[in-house]
Amino acid sequence: MKYVDTNILIRFIIDDNKELADIAEHILKTNECYVLPEVIPEAVYVLNKVYKFNRKDIANALLQLLPLVVVKDVRLTRLALNYFAELNFDYVDCILLARNKLYGHQVATLDKKLEKAIAALPPVSLY
């Protein structure tokens, strides 16, 4: 198993440098690649701030990448990416929201908008 960093994900998604994109694709498609949970928020940030992807394109790109890699708690990551595409929250807030909706984890926040979303959105079935 190989741990991959944000650069591998970004090069694969962006495909702006053929040599680096080919290397990233080879690594992702010929190895069991593990993505640490911290890498996804960094990829979201880079795609948004550096490459100016919109929220839906970011979520779609990363959701399409998920079958190629191993991510701890992929259901949480998928739900957080879906929330990111549809709601106007930072990705980390989407992770908190997803944890609450999947597992019932309590979230302490001073963000009134996040509190409202936690109260309004229904729980997601684990099955």
Side-chain angles (χ1 to χ4, degrees):
M1 181 180 311
K2 287 191 178 198
Y3 287 86
V4 295
D5 70 358
T6 305
N7 293 310
I8 296 292
L9 304 183
I10 298 298
R11 292 284 68 85
F12 181 78
I13 291 168
I14 298 299
D15 196 19
D16 62 346
N17 177 311
K18 186 69 173 150
E19 181 182 351
L20 295 178
D22 287 347
I23 291 168
E25 181 177 11
H26 177 75
I27 290 168
L28 291 169
K29 291 188 174 179
T30 61
N31 295 280
E32 184 178 29
C33 294
Y34 187 78
V35 176
L36 292 169
E38 299 84 0
V39 170
I40 301 293
E42 185 177 23
V44 168
Y45 179 84
V46 170
L47 290 169
N48 180 253
K49 299 299 183 188
V50 176
Y51 292 99
K52 307 301 183 201
F53 276 40
N54 67 48
R55 300 170 75 82
K56 288 187 185 212
D57 289 342
I58 291 168
N60 288 335
L62 291 169
L63 286 166
Q64 289 176 8
L65 183 72
L66 288 180
L68 298 176
V69 297
V70 176
V71 177
K72 182 181 178 183
D73 204 345
V74 71
R75 292 191 72 231
L76 178 80
T77 301
R78 277 192 196 109
L79 184 58
L81 286 168
N82 283 313
Y83 285 154
F84 183 76
E86 299 301 324
L87 306 173
N88 192 25
F89 288 108
D90 292 344
Y91 181 68
V92 173
D93 286 342
C94 292
I95 293 170
L96 293 171
L97 186 55
R99 285 197 167 279
N100 173 267
K101 296 306 157 189
L102 274 175
Y103 307 120
H105 294 168
Q106 297 297 309
V107 177
T109 181
L110 300 175
D111 183 335
K112 298 297 182 195
K113 185 176 159 196
L114 182 58
E115 280 182 348
K116 285 181 184 179
I118 289 168
L121 290 171
V124 175
S125 172
L126 288 173
Y127 303 103

